[in-house]
PDB file of all heavy atoms in Angstrom:
ATOM      1  N   VAL C 107       6.701   6.756  -5.301  1.00 90.00           N
ATOM      2  CA  VAL C 107       7.073   5.502  -4.646  1.00 90.00           C
ATOM      3  C   VAL C 107       8.367   5.004  -5.281  1.00 90.00           C
ATOM      4  O   VAL C 107       8.447   4.854  -6.490  1.00 90.00           O
ATOM      5  CB  VAL C 107       5.957   4.468  -4.830  1.00 90.00           C
ATOM      6  CG1 VAL C 107       6.363   3.133  -4.235  1.00 90.00           C
ATOM      7  CG2 VAL C 107       4.682   4.970  -4.195  1.00 90.00           C
ATOM      8  N   LEU C 114       4.298  -9.904  -0.003  1.00 85.00           N
ATOM      9  CA  LEU C 114       4.710 -10.422   1.287  1.00 85.00           C
ATOM     10  C   LEU C 114       3.516 -10.426   2.232  1.00 85.00           C
ATOM     11  O   LEU C 114       2.463  -9.884   1.917  1.00 85.00           O
ATOM     12  CB  LEU C 114       5.829  -9.555   1.875  1.00 85.00           C
ATOM     13  CG  LEU C 114       7.062  -9.415   0.994  1.00 85.00           C
ATOM     14  CD1 LEU C 114       8.056  -8.469   1.626  1.00 85.00           C
ATOM     15  CD2 LEU C 114       7.700 -10.781   0.785  1.00 85.00           C
ATOM     16  N   HIS C 127      11.022  17.426   3.696  1.00 87.00           N
ATOM     17  CA  HIS C 127       9.825  17.893   2.999  1.00 87.00           C
ATOM     18  C   HIS C 127       8.615  17.978   3.928  1.00 87.00           C
ATOM     19  O   HIS C 127       7.500  18.187   3.470  1.00 87.00           O
ATOM     20  CB  HIS C 127       9.517  16.974   1.830  1.00 87.00           C
ATOM     21  CG  HIS C 127      10.728  16.645   0.999  1.00 87.00           C
ATOM     22  ND1 HIS C 127      11.507  15.529   1.219  1.00 87.00           N
ATOM     23  CD2 HIS C 127      11.301  17.312  -0.028  1.00 87.00           C
ATOM     24  CE1 HIS C 127      12.501  15.517   0.357  1.00 87.00           C
ATOM     25  NE2 HIS C 127      12.405  16.585  -0.408  1.00 87.00           N
ATOM     26  N   LEU C 175     -19.624   2.138  11.307  1.00 87.00           N
ATOM     27  CA  LEU C 175     -18.168   2.034  11.382  1.00 87.00           C
ATOM     28  C   LEU C 175     -17.731   0.570  11.339  1.00 87.00           C
ATOM     29  O   LEU C 175     -18.457  -0.314  11.784  1.00 87.00           O
ATOM     30  CB  LEU C 175     -17.654   2.649  12.679  1.00 87.00           C
ATOM     31  CG  LEU C 175     -17.707   4.170  12.756  1.00 87.00           C
ATOM     32  CD1 LEU C 175     -17.329   4.603  14.154  1.00 87.00           C
ATOM     33  CD2 LEU C 175     -16.775   4.788  11.741  1.00 87.00           C
ATOM     34  N   TYR C 185      -3.526  -9.192  -3.147  1.00 88.00           N
ATOM     35  CA  TYR C 185      -3.328  -7.799  -2.751  1.00 88.00           C
ATOM     36  C   TYR C 185      -4.489  -6.911  -3.180  1.00 88.00           C
ATOM     37  O   TYR C 185      -4.498  -5.729  -2.902  1.00 88.00           O
ATOM     38  CB  TYR C 185      -2.008  -7.265  -3.324  1.00 88.00           C
ATOM     39  CG  TYR C 185      -1.954  -7.202  -4.829  1.00 88.00           C
ATOM     40  CD1 TYR C 185      -2.423  -6.092  -5.508  1.00 88.00           C
ATOM     41  CD2 TYR C 185      -1.457  -8.268  -5.580  1.00 88.00           C
ATOM     42  CE1 TYR C 185      -2.395  -6.036  -6.882  1.00 88.00           C
ATOM     43  CE2 TYR C 185      -1.422  -8.217  -6.953  1.00 88.00           C
ATOM     44  CZ  TYR C 185      -1.889  -7.088  -7.601  1.00 88.00           C
ATOM     45  OH  TYR C 185      -1.861  -7.037  -8.958  1.00 88.00           O
ATOM     46  N   GLY C 232     -24.824 -16.796  13.032  1.00 67.00           N
ATOM     47  CA  GLY C 232     -25.862 -15.781  12.912  1.00 67.00           C
ATOM     48  C   GLY C 232     -25.652 -14.534  13.731  1.00 67.00           C
ATOM     49  O   GLY C 232     -26.570 -13.749  13.911  1.00 67.00           O
ATOM     50  N   ILE C 239     -13.482  -7.020   0.813  1.00 91.00           N
ATOM     51  CA  ILE C 239     -13.471  -5.664   0.266  1.00 91.00           C
ATOM     52  C   ILE C 239     -12.452  -5.582  -0.861  1.00 91.00           C
ATOM     53  O   ILE C 239     -11.325  -6.032  -0.718  1.00 91.00           O
ATOM     54  CB  ILE C 239     -13.056  -4.645   1.360  1.00 91.00           C
ATOM     55  CG1 ILE C 239     -13.939  -4.777   2.584  1.00 91.00           C
ATOM     56  CG2 ILE C 239     -13.083  -3.236   0.799  1.00 91.00           C
ATOM     57  CD1 ILE C 239     -15.390  -4.576   2.313  1.00 91.00           C
ATOM     58  N   ILE C 254      -0.430  12.983   3.884  1.00 87.00           N
ATOM     59  CA  ILE C 254      -1.399  13.907   4.451  1.00 87.00           C
ATOM     60  C   ILE C 254      -0.884  14.490   5.756  1.00 87.00           C
ATOM     61  O   ILE C 254      -0.566  13.759   6.692  1.00 87.00           O
ATOM     62  CB  ILE C 254      -2.731  13.194   4.730  1.00 87.00           C
ATOM     63  CG1 ILE C 254      -3.249  12.600   3.437  1.00 87.00           C
ATOM     64  CG2 ILE C 254      -3.732  14.168   5.321  1.00 87.00           C
ATOM     65  CD1 ILE C 254      -4.422  11.713   3.651  1.00 87.00           C
ATOM     66  N   LYS C 255      -0.810  15.799   5.791  1.00 84.00           N
ATOM     67  CA  LYS C 255      -0.349  16.469   6.998  1.00 84.00           C
ATOM     68  C   LYS C 255      -1.569  17.092   7.655  1.00 84.00           C
ATOM     69  O   LYS C 255      -2.260  17.918   7.061  1.00 84.00           O
ATOM     70  CB  LYS C 255       0.660  17.538   6.582  1.00 84.00           C
ATOM     71  CG  LYS C 255       1.330  18.218   7.718  1.00 84.00           C
ATOM     72  CD  LYS C 255       2.364  19.202   7.179  1.00 84.00           C
ATOM     73  CE  LYS C 255       2.910  20.011   8.327  1.00 84.00           C
ATOM     74  NZ  LYS C 255       3.553  21.219   7.834  1.00 84.00           N
ATOM     75  N   LEU C 262      -5.553  17.914  18.612  1.00 77.00           N
ATOM     76  CA  LEU C 262      -6.476  16.809  18.850  1.00 77.00           C
ATOM     77  C   LEU C 262      -5.860  15.741  19.739  1.00 77.00           C
ATOM     78  O   LEU C 262      -6.540  15.140  20.570  1.00 77.00           O
ATOM     79  CB  LEU C 262      -6.894  16.187  17.511  1.00 77.00           C
ATOM     80  CG  LEU C 262      -7.876  17.041  16.717  1.00 77.00           C
ATOM     81  CD1 LEU C 262      -7.869  16.650  15.267  1.00 77.00           C
ATOM     82  CD2 LEU C 262      -9.264  16.928  17.314  1.00 77.00           C
TER      83      LEU C 262
END
Side-chain angles (χ1 to χ4, degrees):
Chain C
V107 176
L114 303 176
H127 314 93
L175 288 173
Y185 64 87
I239 306 302
I254 302 171
K255 186 177 173 198
L262 286 160

